[in-house]
Amino acid sequence: MTGTDIHRHRTPRQGFTLVETLVSIGIFVTLVAIAVGGFVQAIHTQGEVSRLISAQDNVSVSIEEMAREIRTGFLFCHDTSNNTIAARCGGVNACTVNTDGSWTCPVLDYFTAGGDEVNYVNVNGVLTRTDNGSSTPLTSPDVKVRYLSFRMFGNQEGDHWLPRITVALDVSPSSSDPAIASTTFNFETTVSARSRDCDPTGGTCP
Amino acid sequence: MVALAMISTAFMGIAALLSRSIYLNRVATDETTASYLAAEGIEIMKNIVDFDMYGTGGTAWGTDTPVGLSSPIYNTTTTVGLGVHNDALYFDSSAGTATSHLYQYSAGTRTPFVRKVTVTWPSATEIDVSSTVTWTVGPGASQSVVDEDHFYDWY
């Protein structure tokens, strides 16, 4: 056996050079950074999707609740002095009188079939329901109400119309992401009350 | 390179999933909006039908809701001669106007929602109303919501 043969069969024990190690660590750190960043972005996006879903759910529940009560309600934004915009709906300063005689108000105040005085209003971005003076938020902090108005037609005695209430509700998800926060959903629906106009001075109201 | 390819593939999947989730949420929101617009069509027609009963002592059943196709909006008081809009509803996002934040055909931005209301009279004492809202969800694809109600001359 020659010296050359001995050298050929010896297991090489060469290590990595410093440059190779640094490059490897650099690549590894870069990939980990990309991975972590991606996951953070994914979690963030998932949160925004949840907010969008929450906004939609909130609106659905709120509109359903309002519509159900409006159908059986009476005296919509209507005080007892006949054919005037009730002060509790903001009065003439807050409501707009339209050319067809309808009113557009930021507040909807009326009496439920059970006789409770209820109103709906936008309080700092939260749709709020007040029942006999007790307020309850209908929308969660995940949702910001951008606009709320109620257009009332046929809510005056003697007009032969059943009250027709058009609800306009614009909402956005509450989000730190400007792209998500600027997404506004514009909902509109109309509800025709099932009860005829009643005369608060004639004892015909429930 | 192998690790990079694996990570890239994984993130492409996640990104596609989230993108799909946002898209589907948008579709769901459009469905909600459309369903309320369709319900509005029914409520407007019921309001008019009730007026015809109350307004004239019950002798003018269906006067303002003749058989046919029409496109009523929030302030429609009769569908006689109203006609049908084959184009989409507009949404007015401006403030301080008569149409502010309302869906109609005269002001604002065009929406994807097309609403048509069909009235039929199966009998002398029944009016059937079908409210259809159709909207596009992509190239060549559309969805629709249909609400139907039956009104009887109970006066």
Side-chain angles (χ1 to χ4, degrees), chain A residues 31 35 49 52-53 56 60 160-162 164 170 186 188-190 192 194, chain B residues 4 11 21 25 28-29 32 36 40 43 47 51 54 74 76 101-103:
Chain A
L31 291 177
V49 170
L52 288 168
I53 295 171
Q56 185 188 335
S60 295
H160 299 292
W161 287 92
L162 271 67
R164 184 195 297 187
D170 301 347
N186 309 308
E188 173 190 312
T189 197
T190 294
S192 178
R194 292 342 189 212
Chain B
L4 195 60
F11 278 112
S21 177
N25 180 263
T29 303
T32 304
Y36 286 123
E40 181 180 63
E43 291 286 324
N47 193 251
F51 170 75
Y54 294 138
Y74 63 92
T76 298
H101 298 269
L102 294 170
Y103 287 86

PDB file of all heavy atoms in Angstrom, chain A residues 31 35 49 52-53 56 60 160-162 164 170 186 188-190 192 194, chain B residues 4 11 21 25 28-29 32 36 40 43 47 51 54 74 76 101-103:
ATOM      1  N   LEU A  31     -35.447  33.542   4.605  1.00  0.00           N
ATOM      2  CA  LEU A  31     -36.639  32.717   4.401  1.00  0.00           C
ATOM      3  C   LEU A  31     -37.560  32.744   5.606  1.00  0.00           C
ATOM      4  O   LEU A  31     -38.793  32.820   5.474  1.00  0.00           O
ATOM      5  CB  LEU A  31     -36.222  31.273   4.083  1.00  0.00           C
ATOM      6  CG  LEU A  31     -35.537  31.061   2.731  1.00  0.00           C
ATOM      7  CD1 LEU A  31     -35.119  29.617   2.568  1.00  0.00           C
ATOM      8  CD2 LEU A  31     -36.460  31.465   1.591  1.00  0.00           C
ATOM      9  N   ALA A  35     -41.327  34.026   5.768  1.00  0.00           N
ATOM     10  CA  ALA A  35     -42.399  33.166   6.274  1.00  0.00           C
ATOM     11  C   ALA A  35     -43.183  33.848   7.381  1.00  0.00           C
ATOM     12  O   ALA A  35     -44.420  33.875   7.374  1.00  0.00           O
ATOM     13  CB  ALA A  35     -41.807  31.844   6.770  1.00  0.00           C
ATOM     14  N   VAL A  49     -61.217  40.036   7.140  1.00  0.00           N
ATOM     15  CA  VAL A  49     -62.356  39.288   6.587  1.00  0.00           C
ATOM     16  C   VAL A  49     -63.408  39.068   7.670  1.00  0.00           C
ATOM     17  O   VAL A  49     -64.611  39.202   7.434  1.00  0.00           O
ATOM     18  CB  VAL A  49     -61.885  37.945   5.995  1.00  0.00           C
ATOM     19  CG1 VAL A  49     -63.081  37.069   5.646  1.00  0.00           C
ATOM     20  CG2 VAL A  49     -61.034  38.176   4.757  1.00  0.00           C
ATOM     21  N   LEU A  52     -65.379  42.175   8.056  1.00  0.00           N
ATOM     22  CA  LEU A  52     -66.348  42.334   6.976  1.00  0.00           C
ATOM     23  C   LEU A  52     -67.582  41.471   7.221  1.00  0.00           C
ATOM     24  O   LEU A  52     -68.719  41.908   7.052  1.00  0.00           O
ATOM     25  CB  LEU A  52     -65.704  41.964   5.634  1.00  0.00           C
ATOM     26  CG  LEU A  52     -64.666  42.943   5.077  1.00  0.00           C
ATOM     27  CD1 LEU A  52     -63.905  42.307   3.911  1.00  0.00           C
ATOM     28  CD2 LEU A  52     -65.335  44.220   4.625  1.00  0.00           C
ATOM     29  N   ILE A  53     -67.343  40.231   7.619  1.00  0.00           N
ATOM     30  CA  ILE A  53     -68.458  39.326   7.905  1.00  0.00           C
ATOM     31  C   ILE A  53     -69.280  39.858   9.075  1.00  0.00           C
ATOM     32  O   ILE A  53     -70.515  39.838   9.060  1.00  0.00           O
ATOM     33  CB  ILE A  53     -67.933  37.906   8.196  1.00  0.00           C
ATOM     34  CG1 ILE A  53     -67.281  37.325   6.946  1.00  0.00           C
ATOM     35  CG2 ILE A  53     -69.047  36.999   8.706  1.00  0.00           C
ATOM     36  CD1 ILE A  53     -66.549  36.031   7.180  1.00  0.00           C
ATOM     37  N   GLN A  56     -71.528  42.697   8.033  1.00  0.00           N
ATOM     38  CA  GLN A  56     -72.702  42.225   7.308  1.00  0.00           C
ATOM     39  C   GLN A  56     -73.716  41.588   8.255  1.00  0.00           C
ATOM     40  O   GLN A  56     -74.923  41.836   8.156  1.00  0.00           O
ATOM     41  CB  GLN A  56     -72.266  41.228   6.246  1.00  0.00           C
ATOM     42  CG  GLN A  56     -73.404  40.768   5.367  1.00  0.00           C
ATOM     43  CD  GLN A  56     -72.971  39.652   4.461  1.00  0.00           C
ATOM     44  OE1 GLN A  56     -71.797  39.526   4.140  1.00  0.00           O
ATOM     45  NE2 GLN A  56     -73.901  38.834   4.056  1.00  0.00           N
ATOM     46  N   SER A  60     -77.592  42.836   8.998  1.00  0.00           N
ATOM     47  CA  SER A  60     -78.731  41.949   8.776  1.00  0.00           C
ATOM     48  C   SER A  60     -79.617  41.883  10.010  1.00  0.00           C
ATOM     49  O   SER A  60     -80.848  42.022   9.923  1.00  0.00           O
ATOM     50  CB  SER A  60     -78.240  40.539   8.419  1.00  0.00           C
ATOM     51  OG  SER A  60     -77.551  40.550   7.200  1.00  0.00           O
ATOM     52  N   HIS A 160    -104.659  58.520   3.799  1.00  0.00           N
ATOM     53  CA  HIS A 160    -105.121  57.220   3.283  1.00  0.00           C
ATOM     54  C   HIS A 160    -103.993  56.265   2.932  1.00  0.00           C
ATOM     55  O   HIS A 160    -104.237  55.213   2.359  1.00  0.00           O
ATOM     56  CB  HIS A 160    -106.050  57.405   2.069  1.00  0.00           C
ATOM     57  CG  HIS A 160    -107.278  58.188   2.381  1.00  0.00           C
ATOM     58  ND1 HIS A 160    -108.282  57.725   3.196  1.00  0.00           N
ATOM     59  CD2 HIS A 160    -107.668  59.444   2.014  1.00  0.00           C
ATOM     60  CE1 HIS A 160    -109.240  58.631   3.312  1.00  0.00           C
ATOM     61  NE2 HIS A 160    -108.892  59.687   2.609  1.00  0.00           N
ATOM     62  N   TRP A 161    -102.781  56.652   3.241  1.00  0.00           N
ATOM     63  CA  TRP A 161    -101.660  55.731   3.034  1.00  0.00           C
ATOM     64  C   TRP A 161    -101.306  55.076   4.351  1.00  0.00           C
ATOM     65  O   TRP A 161    -101.382  55.705   5.412  1.00  0.00           O
ATOM     66  CB  TRP A 161    -100.424  56.480   2.526  1.00  0.00           C
ATOM     67  CG  TRP A 161    -100.513  56.920   1.101  1.00  0.00           C
ATOM     68  CD1 TRP A 161    -100.970  58.116   0.645  1.00  0.00           C
ATOM     69  CD2 TRP A 161    -100.134  56.164  -0.053  1.00  0.00           C
ATOM     70  NE1 TRP A 161    -100.907  58.159  -0.725  1.00  0.00           N
ATOM     71  CE2 TRP A 161    -100.396  56.975  -1.181  1.00  0.00           C
ATOM     72  CE3 TRP A 161     -99.600  54.894  -0.256  1.00  0.00           C
ATOM     73  CZ2 TRP A 161    -100.143  56.555  -2.478  1.00  0.00           C
ATOM     74  CZ3 TRP A 161     -99.345  54.474  -1.540  1.00  0.00           C
ATOM     75  CH2 TRP A 161     -99.613  55.292  -2.640  1.00  0.00           C
ATOM     76  N   LEU A 162    -100.887  53.827   4.275  1.00  0.00           N
ATOM     77  CA  LEU A 162    -100.274  53.242   5.447  1.00  0.00           C
ATOM     78  C   LEU A 162     -98.840  53.769   5.503  1.00  0.00           C
ATOM     79  O   LEU A 162     -98.220  53.985   4.455  1.00  0.00           O
ATOM     80  CB  LEU A 162    -100.266  51.712   5.360  1.00  0.00           C
ATOM     81  CG  LEU A 162    -101.505  51.005   5.938  1.00  0.00           C
ATOM     82  CD1 LEU A 162    -102.720  51.317   5.090  1.00  0.00           C
ATOM     83  CD2 LEU A 162    -101.277  49.505   6.024  1.00  0.00           C
ATOM     84  N   ARG A 164     -95.164  54.339   5.194  1.00  0.00           N
ATOM     85  CA  ARG A 164     -94.120  53.651   4.438  1.00  0.00           C
ATOM     86  C   ARG A 164     -92.771  54.199   4.907  1.00  0.00           C
ATOM     87  O   ARG A 164     -92.477  55.373   4.716  1.00  0.00           O
ATOM     88  CB  ARG A 164     -94.290  53.890   2.937  1.00  0.00           C
ATOM     89  CG  ARG A 164     -93.290  53.132   2.083  1.00  0.00           C
ATOM     90  CD  ARG A 164     -93.238  53.652   0.661  1.00  0.00           C
ATOM     91  NE  ARG A 164     -94.489  53.498  -0.076  1.00  0.00           N
ATOM     92  CZ  ARG A 164     -94.606  53.766  -1.380  1.00  0.00           C
ATOM     93  NH1 ARG A 164     -93.544  54.197  -2.061  1.00  0.00           N
ATOM     94  NH2 ARG A 164     -95.761  53.626  -1.997  1.00  0.00           N
ATOM     95  N   ASP A 170     -75.790  52.972   5.852  1.00  0.00           N
ATOM     96  CA  ASP A 170     -74.461  52.750   5.275  1.00  0.00           C
ATOM     97  C   ASP A 170     -73.497  52.395   6.404  1.00  0.00           C
ATOM     98  O   ASP A 170     -73.416  53.124   7.403  1.00  0.00           O
ATOM     99  CB  ASP A 170     -73.951  54.003   4.565  1.00  0.00           C
ATOM    100  CG  ASP A 170     -74.886  54.451   3.439  1.00  0.00           C
ATOM    101  OD1 ASP A 170     -75.772  53.656   3.065  1.00  0.00           O
ATOM    102  OD2 ASP A 170     -74.719  55.575   2.951  1.00  0.00           O
ATOM    103  N   ASN A 186     -73.875  49.890   1.355  1.00  0.00           N
ATOM    104  CA  ASN A 186     -75.051  50.753   1.326  1.00  0.00           C
ATOM    105  C   ASN A 186     -76.319  49.899   1.272  1.00  0.00           C
ATOM    106  O   ASN A 186     -76.614  49.285   0.251  1.00  0.00           O
ATOM    107  CB  ASN A 186     -74.998  51.674   0.108  1.00  0.00           C
ATOM    108  CG  ASN A 186     -73.668  52.413   0.009  1.00  0.00           C
ATOM    109  OD1 ASN A 186     -73.230  53.035   0.966  1.00  0.00           O
ATOM    110  ND2 ASN A 186     -73.012  52.324  -1.139  1.00  0.00           N
ATOM    111  N   GLU A 188     -80.485  49.493   1.788  1.00  0.00           N
ATOM    112  CA  GLU A 188     -81.759  50.223   1.781  1.00  0.00           C
ATOM    113  C   GLU A 188     -82.890  49.207   1.738  1.00  0.00           C
ATOM    114  O   GLU A 188     -82.828  48.222   1.002  1.00  0.00           O
ATOM    115  CB  GLU A 188     -81.856  51.128   0.547  1.00  0.00           C
ATOM    116  CG  GLU A 188     -83.226  51.793   0.400  1.00  0.00           C
ATOM    117  CD  GLU A 188     -83.384  52.485  -0.952  1.00  0.00           C
ATOM    118  OE1 GLU A 188     -82.459  53.219  -1.331  1.00  0.00           O
ATOM    119  OE2 GLU A 188     -84.410  52.278  -1.615  1.00  0.00           O
ATOM    120  N   THR A 189     -83.871  49.460   2.527  1.00  0.00           N
ATOM    121  CA  THR A 189     -85.081  48.661   2.406  1.00  0.00           C
ATOM    122  C   THR A 189     -86.264  49.517   2.850  1.00  0.00           C
ATOM    123  O   THR A 189     -86.097  50.523   3.532  1.00  0.00           O
ATOM    124  CB  THR A 189     -84.999  47.367   3.230  1.00  0.00           C
ATOM    125  OG1 THR A 189     -86.001  46.453   2.764  1.00  0.00           O
ATOM    126  CG2 THR A 189     -85.229  47.617   4.715  1.00  0.00           C
ATOM    127  N   THR A 190     -87.426  49.114   2.424  1.00  0.00           N
ATOM    128  CA  THR A 190     -88.644  49.841   2.756  1.00  0.00           C
ATOM    129  C   THR A 190     -89.608  48.892   3.457  1.00  0.00           C
ATOM    130  O   THR A 190     -89.706  47.722   3.088  1.00  0.00           O
ATOM    131  CB  THR A 190     -89.296  50.412   1.481  1.00  0.00           C
ATOM    132  OG1 THR A 190     -88.441  51.412   0.925  1.00  0.00           O
ATOM    133  CG2 THR A 190     -90.657  51.032   1.783  1.00  0.00           C
ATOM    134  N   SER A 192     -93.627  48.662   4.867  1.00  0.00           N
ATOM    135  CA  SER A 192     -94.961  49.238   4.928  1.00  0.00           C
ATOM    136  C   SER A 192     -95.629  48.768   6.216  1.00  0.00           C
ATOM    137  O   SER A 192     -95.775  47.567   6.438  1.00  0.00           O
ATOM    138  CB  SER A 192     -95.786  48.786   3.708  1.00  0.00           C
ATOM    139  OG  SER A 192     -97.095  49.307   3.769  1.00  0.00           O
ATOM    140  N   ARG A 194     -98.338  47.735   8.866  1.00  0.00           N
ATOM    141  CA  ARG A 194     -99.558  46.956   8.648  1.00  0.00           C
ATOM    142  C   ARG A 194    -100.772  47.613   9.268  1.00  0.00           C
ATOM    143  O   ARG A 194    -101.908  47.188   9.022  1.00  0.00           O
ATOM    144  CB  ARG A 194     -99.409  45.555   9.228  1.00  0.00           C
ATOM    145  CG  ARG A 194     -98.420  44.588   8.575  1.00  0.00           C
ATOM    146  CD  ARG A 194     -97.991  44.916   7.197  1.00  0.00           C
ATOM    147  NE  ARG A 194     -97.222  43.823   6.582  1.00  0.00           N
ATOM    148  CZ  ARG A 194     -96.253  43.993   5.714  1.00  0.00           C
ATOM    149  NH1 ARG A 194     -95.881  45.215   5.359  1.00  0.00           N
ATOM    150  NH2 ARG A 194     -95.622  42.970   5.165  1.00  0.00           N
TER     151      ARG A 194
ATOM    152  N   LEU B   4     -37.248  27.328  -0.628  1.00  0.00           N
ATOM    153  CA  LEU B   4     -37.905  28.527  -1.155  1.00  0.00           C
ATOM    154  C   LEU B   4     -39.143  28.170  -1.968  1.00  0.00           C
ATOM    155  O   LEU B   4     -40.193  28.801  -1.855  1.00  0.00           O
ATOM    156  CB  LEU B   4     -36.907  29.297  -2.032  1.00  0.00           C
ATOM    157  CG  LEU B   4     -37.276  30.725  -2.389  1.00  0.00           C
ATOM    158  CD1 LEU B   4     -37.444  31.569  -1.130  1.00  0.00           C
ATOM    159  CD2 LEU B   4     -36.240  31.337  -3.313  1.00  0.00           C
ATOM    160  N   PHE B  11     -47.417  29.797   0.556  1.00  0.00           N
ATOM    161  CA  PHE B  11     -47.988  31.136   0.658  1.00  0.00           C
ATOM    162  C   PHE B  11     -48.912  31.468  -0.499  1.00  0.00           C
ATOM    163  O   PHE B  11     -49.847  32.239  -0.339  1.00  0.00           O
ATOM    164  CB  PHE B  11     -46.891  32.185   0.789  1.00  0.00           C
ATOM    165  CG  PHE B  11     -46.401  32.296   2.189  1.00  0.00           C
ATOM    166  CD1 PHE B  11     -45.128  31.907   2.533  1.00  0.00           C
ATOM    167  CD2 PHE B  11     -47.244  32.750   3.188  1.00  0.00           C
ATOM    168  CE1 PHE B  11     -44.694  31.977   3.825  1.00  0.00           C
ATOM    169  CE2 PHE B  11     -46.820  32.831   4.493  1.00  0.00           C
ATOM    170  CZ  PHE B  11     -45.537  32.437   4.813  1.00  0.00           C
ATOM    171  N   SER B  21     -61.661  34.323   0.062  1.00  0.00           N
ATOM    172  CA  SER B  21     -62.517  34.643   1.199  1.00  0.00           C
ATOM    173  C   SER B  21     -63.061  36.060   1.088  1.00  0.00           C
ATOM    174  O   SER B  21     -64.245  36.309   1.322  1.00  0.00           O
ATOM    175  CB  SER B  21     -61.712  34.474   2.495  1.00  0.00           C
ATOM    176  OG  SER B  21     -62.497  34.854   3.598  1.00  0.00           O
ATOM    177  N   ASN B  25     -66.934  37.127   0.526  1.00  0.00           N
ATOM    178  CA  ASN B  25     -67.586  38.043   1.442  1.00  0.00           C
ATOM    179  C   ASN B  25     -68.269  39.167   0.682  1.00  0.00           C
ATOM    180  O   ASN B  25     -69.369  39.595   1.018  1.00  0.00           O
ATOM    181  CB  ASN B  25     -66.552  38.614   2.412  1.00  0.00           C
ATOM    182  CG  ASN B  25     -67.180  39.582   3.389  1.00  0.00           C
ATOM    183  OD1 ASN B  25     -67.146  40.782   3.183  1.00  0.00           O
ATOM    184  ND2 ASN B  25     -67.778  39.055   4.445  1.00  0.00           N
ATOM    185  N   ALA B  28     -71.393  37.810  -0.736  1.00  0.00           N
ATOM    186  CA  ALA B  28     -72.415  37.681   0.309  1.00  0.00           C
ATOM    187  C   ALA B  28     -73.029  39.030   0.636  1.00  0.00           C
ATOM    188  O   ALA B  28     -74.238  39.149   0.863  1.00  0.00           O
ATOM    189  CB  ALA B  28     -71.805  37.059   1.556  1.00  0.00           C
ATOM    190  N   THR B  29     -72.193  40.074   0.662  1.00  0.00           N
ATOM    191  CA  THR B  29     -72.709  41.415   0.934  1.00  0.00           C
ATOM    192  C   THR B  29     -73.657  41.865  -0.175  1.00  0.00           C
ATOM    193  O   THR B  29     -74.717  42.456   0.089  1.00  0.00           O
ATOM    194  CB  THR B  29     -71.549  42.413   1.063  1.00  0.00           C
ATOM    195  OG1 THR B  29     -70.668  41.958   2.087  1.00  0.00           O
ATOM    196  CG2 THR B  29     -72.061  43.798   1.422  1.00  0.00           C
ATOM    197  N   THR B  32     -76.922  40.240   0.343  1.00  0.00           N
ATOM    198  CA  THR B  32     -77.707  40.884   1.399  1.00  0.00           C
ATOM    199  C   THR B  32     -78.357  42.158   0.877  1.00  0.00           C
ATOM    200  O   THR B  32     -79.556  42.405   1.100  1.00  0.00           O
ATOM    201  CB  THR B  32     -76.800  41.220   2.601  1.00  0.00           C
ATOM    202  OG1 THR B  32     -76.155  40.026   3.035  1.00  0.00           O
ATOM    203  CG2 THR B  32     -77.616  41.798   3.748  1.00  0.00           C
ATOM    204  N   TYR B  36     -82.533  42.848   0.349  1.00  0.00           N
ATOM    205  CA  TYR B  36     -83.302  43.960   0.916  1.00  0.00           C
ATOM    206  C   TYR B  36     -83.951  44.796  -0.183  1.00  0.00           C
ATOM    207  O   TYR B  36     -85.066  45.312  -0.007  1.00  0.00           O
ATOM    208  CB  TYR B  36     -82.425  44.827   1.808  1.00  0.00           C
ATOM    209  CG  TYR B  36     -82.117  44.159   3.129  1.00  0.00           C
ATOM    210  CD1 TYR B  36     -80.822  43.942   3.545  1.00  0.00           C
ATOM    211  CD2 TYR B  36     -83.146  43.721   3.952  1.00  0.00           C
ATOM    212  CE1 TYR B  36     -80.533  43.305   4.747  1.00  0.00           C
ATOM    213  CE2 TYR B  36     -82.890  43.083   5.153  1.00  0.00           C
ATOM    214  CZ  TYR B  36     -81.577  42.884   5.549  1.00  0.00           C
ATOM    215  OH  TYR B  36     -81.318  42.246   6.729  1.00  0.00           O
ATOM    216  N   GLU B  40     -87.858  45.338  -0.631  1.00  0.00           N
ATOM    217  CA  GLU B  40     -88.414  46.681  -0.771  1.00  0.00           C
ATOM    218  C   GLU B  40     -89.435  46.733  -1.900  1.00  0.00           C
ATOM    219  O   GLU B  40     -90.488  47.383  -1.775  1.00  0.00           O
ATOM    220  CB  GLU B  40     -87.291  47.682  -1.040  1.00  0.00           C
ATOM    221  CG  GLU B  40     -87.790  49.118  -1.172  1.00  0.00           C
ATOM    222  CD  GLU B  40     -86.662  50.098  -1.437  1.00  0.00           C
ATOM    223  OE1 GLU B  40     -86.005  49.979  -2.495  1.00  0.00           O
ATOM    224  OE2 GLU B  40     -86.431  50.964  -0.594  1.00  0.00           O
ATOM    225  N   GLU B  43     -92.660  45.413  -0.560  1.00  0.00           N
ATOM    226  CA  GLU B  43     -93.283  46.309   0.417  1.00  0.00           C
ATOM    227  C   GLU B  43     -93.901  47.535  -0.258  1.00  0.00           C
ATOM    228  O   GLU B  43     -94.962  48.014   0.153  1.00  0.00           O
ATOM    229  CB  GLU B  43     -92.240  46.742   1.460  1.00  0.00           C
ATOM    230  CG  GLU B  43     -91.785  45.619   2.381  1.00  0.00           C
ATOM    231  CD  GLU B  43     -92.824  45.243   3.424  1.00  0.00           C
ATOM    232  OE1 GLU B  43     -93.531  46.140   3.906  1.00  0.00           O
ATOM    233  OE2 GLU B  43     -92.935  44.051   3.757  1.00  0.00           O
ATOM    234  N   ASN B  47     -97.793  48.504  -0.084  1.00  0.00           N
ATOM    235  CA  ASN B  47     -98.209  49.821   0.363  1.00  0.00           C
ATOM    236  C   ASN B  47     -99.200  50.446  -0.617  1.00  0.00           C
ATOM    237  O   ASN B  47    -100.195  51.059  -0.216  1.00  0.00           O
ATOM    238  CB  ASN B  47     -96.962  50.705   0.519  1.00  0.00           C
ATOM    239  CG  ASN B  47     -97.234  51.987   1.283  1.00  0.00           C
ATOM    240  OD1 ASN B  47     -97.235  53.059   0.700  1.00  0.00           O
ATOM    241  ND2 ASN B  47     -97.453  51.887   2.586  1.00  0.00           N
ATOM    242  N   PHE B  51    -103.214  51.222  -0.090  1.00  0.00           N
ATOM    243  CA  PHE B  51    -103.756  52.556  -0.335  1.00  0.00           C
ATOM    244  C   PHE B  51    -105.001  52.475  -1.202  1.00  0.00           C
ATOM    245  O   PHE B  51    -105.988  53.187  -0.976  1.00  0.00           O
ATOM    246  CB  PHE B  51    -102.711  53.442  -1.022  1.00  0.00           C
ATOM    247  CG  PHE B  51    -103.269  54.739  -1.527  1.00  0.00           C
ATOM    248  CD1 PHE B  51    -103.560  55.766  -0.641  1.00  0.00           C
ATOM    249  CD2 PHE B  51    -103.529  54.936  -2.874  1.00  0.00           C
ATOM    250  CE1 PHE B  51    -104.094  56.968  -1.090  1.00  0.00           C
ATOM    251  CE2 PHE B  51    -104.060  56.131  -3.325  1.00  0.00           C
ATOM    252  CZ  PHE B  51    -104.343  57.153  -2.431  1.00  0.00           C
ATOM    253  N   TYR B  54    -107.784  51.419   1.197  1.00  0.00           N
ATOM    254  CA  TYR B  54    -108.154  52.420   2.198  1.00  0.00           C
ATOM    255  C   TYR B  54    -108.543  53.748   1.565  1.00  0.00           C
ATOM    256  O   TYR B  54    -109.447  54.426   2.015  1.00  0.00           O
ATOM    257  CB  TYR B  54    -106.986  52.651   3.160  1.00  0.00           C
ATOM    258  CG  TYR B  54    -106.661  51.470   4.008  1.00  0.00           C
ATOM    259  CD1 TYR B  54    -105.352  51.098   4.236  1.00  0.00           C
ATOM    260  CD2 TYR B  54    -107.683  50.732   4.603  1.00  0.00           C
ATOM    261  CE1 TYR B  54    -105.051  50.014   5.029  1.00  0.00           C
ATOM    262  CE2 TYR B  54    -107.389  49.647   5.398  1.00  0.00           C
ATOM    263  CZ  TYR B  54    -106.072  49.294   5.617  1.00  0.00           C
ATOM    264  OH  TYR B  54    -105.786  48.229   6.389  1.00  0.00           O
ATOM    265  N   TYR B  74     -88.461  53.743  -4.028  1.00  0.00           N
ATOM    266  CA  TYR B  74     -88.963  54.025  -2.684  1.00  0.00           C
ATOM    267  C   TYR B  74     -90.150  54.981  -2.648  1.00  0.00           C
ATOM    268  O   TYR B  74     -90.975  54.921  -1.744  1.00  0.00           O
ATOM    269  CB  TYR B  74     -87.826  54.583  -1.814  1.00  0.00           C
ATOM    270  CG  TYR B  74     -87.292  55.905  -2.314  1.00  0.00           C
ATOM    271  CD1 TYR B  74     -87.804  57.105  -1.854  1.00  0.00           C
ATOM    272  CD2 TYR B  74     -86.289  55.953  -3.266  1.00  0.00           C
ATOM    273  CE1 TYR B  74     -87.337  58.321  -2.336  1.00  0.00           C
ATOM    274  CE2 TYR B  74     -85.806  57.149  -3.744  1.00  0.00           C
ATOM    275  CZ  TYR B  74     -86.336  58.331  -3.280  1.00  0.00           C
ATOM    276  OH  TYR B  74     -85.867  59.527  -3.760  1.00  0.00           O
ATOM    277  N   THR B  76     -92.446  55.497  -5.226  1.00  0.00           N
ATOM    278  CA  THR B  76     -93.457  55.220  -6.248  1.00  0.00           C
ATOM    279  C   THR B  76     -94.844  55.092  -5.603  1.00  0.00           C
ATOM    280  O   THR B  76     -95.002  54.390  -4.602  1.00  0.00           O
ATOM    281  CB  THR B  76     -93.113  53.916  -6.996  1.00  0.00           C
ATOM    282  OG1 THR B  76     -91.860  54.088  -7.665  1.00  0.00           O
ATOM    283  CG2 THR B  76     -94.189  53.559  -8.002  1.00  0.00           C
ATOM    284  N   HIS B 101     -78.377  58.925  -0.405  1.00  0.00           N
ATOM    285  CA  HIS B 101     -78.240  57.588   0.176  1.00  0.00           C
ATOM    286  C   HIS B 101     -79.448  56.695  -0.134  1.00  0.00           C
ATOM    287  O   HIS B 101     -79.827  55.850   0.675  1.00  0.00           O
ATOM    288  CB  HIS B 101     -78.014  57.683   1.683  1.00  0.00           C
ATOM    289  CG  HIS B 101     -76.745  58.405   2.038  1.00  0.00           C
ATOM    290  ND1 HIS B 101     -75.550  57.753   2.218  1.00  0.00           N
ATOM    291  CD2 HIS B 101     -76.483  59.721   2.194  1.00  0.00           C
ATOM    292  CE1 HIS B 101     -74.602  58.638   2.498  1.00  0.00           C
ATOM    293  NE2 HIS B 101     -75.147  59.840   2.479  1.00  0.00           N
ATOM    294  N   LEU B 102     -80.027  56.916  -1.292  1.00  0.00           N
ATOM    295  CA  LEU B 102     -81.155  56.090  -1.713  1.00  0.00           C
ATOM    296  C   LEU B 102     -80.885  55.496  -3.095  1.00  0.00           C
ATOM    297  O   LEU B 102     -80.165  56.092  -3.902  1.00  0.00           O
ATOM    298  CB  LEU B 102     -82.443  56.919  -1.754  1.00  0.00           C
ATOM    299  CG  LEU B 102     -82.959  57.433  -0.401  1.00  0.00           C
ATOM    300  CD1 LEU B 102     -84.087  58.436  -0.597  1.00  0.00           C
ATOM    301  CD2 LEU B 102     -83.422  56.279   0.481  1.00  0.00           C
ATOM    302  N   TYR B 103     -81.462  54.350  -3.345  1.00  0.00           N
ATOM    303  CA  TYR B 103     -81.358  53.703  -4.653  1.00  0.00           C
ATOM    304  C   TYR B 103     -82.503  54.201  -5.534  1.00  0.00           C
ATOM    305  O   TYR B 103     -83.667  54.146  -5.135  1.00  0.00           O
ATOM    306  CB  TYR B 103     -81.444  52.185  -4.510  1.00  0.00           C
ATOM    307  CG  TYR B 103     -80.208  51.548  -3.917  1.00  0.00           C
ATOM    308  CD1 TYR B 103     -80.039  51.439  -2.536  1.00  0.00           C
ATOM    309  CD2 TYR B 103     -79.197  51.040  -4.738  1.00  0.00           C
ATOM    310  CE1 TYR B 103     -78.905  50.851  -1.987  1.00  0.00           C
ATOM    311  CE2 TYR B 103     -78.064  50.438  -4.198  1.00  0.00           C
ATOM    312  CZ  TYR B 103     -77.929  50.350  -2.829  1.00  0.00           C
ATOM    313  OH  TYR B 103     -76.804  49.772  -2.289  1.00  0.00           O
TER     314      TYR B 103
END
